[in-house]
Amino acid sequence: MGRVRSDPDPLQDYCVSPPHSPHQHIFLNGDLCKDPTKVTVSDFTTSALSKPGSTRANPFRTNVTLTTTTNLPGLNTMGLTMGRIDFGASGVVPPHVHPRASEVTVCLDGVLLVGFVDTSGRVFTQELHPGETFVFPKGLIHFLYNIDTVSSALAVSGLTSQNPGTQFVSLVSLASELHIPQDVLKRLYHINDQEGYVASIRKNLGG
């Protein structure tokens, strides 16, 4: 069985990502390095997480803003990603996995219900209040939910990869660009599709 490895250790003090080009023809496991003599302090700082994200742009009422090598070039090869998670009332980050990263989340405002499912089917859930922290193991299905039906909530997460990857269970199953055959989904979810349930769910999820 193949292993999912952590990001490789850097071979120098830093490898600041140069400005991204739409005409790039060389693809690496990471980004190229900027000339070290042209690196400045601005390469190691960003305000990307300082602004609230809109929670009205999707049906889940959440918005995730991530640091990337575009808004934080000094992140390249460091094996880290930070994320700001804004929740509207009853907002949810649906069950999903990060195949290349563990995640640690700090609740900053509001009350969150968070949890994950291990490979034996055990579910671990916890309410998080401001200042409390929860860790999600690498590659396991997990979720975050704002239990307040009126007020918003805010959390910050750190992930142990420059490119953790994200796969939402419902979207992968029912709203992927190339659809999983309906016969497979009907068998998987025990759906009698005479009423067009699969098509309706796909439409609701944007598939």
Side-chain angles (χ1 to χ4, degrees), residues 12-97:
Q12 56 279 320
D13 289 343
Y14 44 78
C15 172
V16 172
S17 175
H20 290 202
S21 168
H23 306 295
Q24 180 177 338
H25 298 293
I26 299 175
F27 298 92
L28 305 173
N29 189 24
D31 288 332
L32 295 168
C33 297
K34 184 178 181 179
D35 182 345
T37 64
K38 297 181 180 178
V39 170
T40 67
V41 69
S42 64
D43 292 316
F44 299 98
T45 186
T46 182
S47 60
L49 306 186
S50 66
K51 302 173 184 177
S54 173
T55 60
R56 299 181 180 180
N58 63 68
F60 304 119
R61 299 180 183 174
T62 53
N63 184 281
V64 179
T65 304
L66 296 174
T67 56
T68 67
T69 55
T70 299
N71 59 37
L72 187 57
L75 196 68
N76 193 34
T77 75
M78 295 296 155
L80 298 169
T81 297
M82 292 293 295
R84 173 187 176 128
I85 312 171
D86 290 282
F87 298 82
S90 300
V92 62
V93 180
H96 64 285
V97 299

Side-chain angles (χ1 to χ4, degrees), residues 23-24 34 53 74-75 77 82-83 87 99 109-110 114 118 120 131-132 161 174 179 191:
H23 306 295
Q24 180 177 338
K34 184 178 181 179
L75 196 68
T77 75
M82 292 293 295
F87 298 82
D109 187 37
V114 301
D118 71 13
S120 69
E132 296 181 338
S161 174
L174 292 158
H179 289 166
I191 296 174

Side-chain angles (χ1 to χ4, degrees), residues 61 87-91 110-113 145-153:
R61 299 180 183 174
F87 298 82
S90 300
V111 181
L112 300 175
L113 177 67
Y145 172 60
N146 176 13
I147 65 175
D148 196 314
T149 59
V150 177
S151 301
S152 61

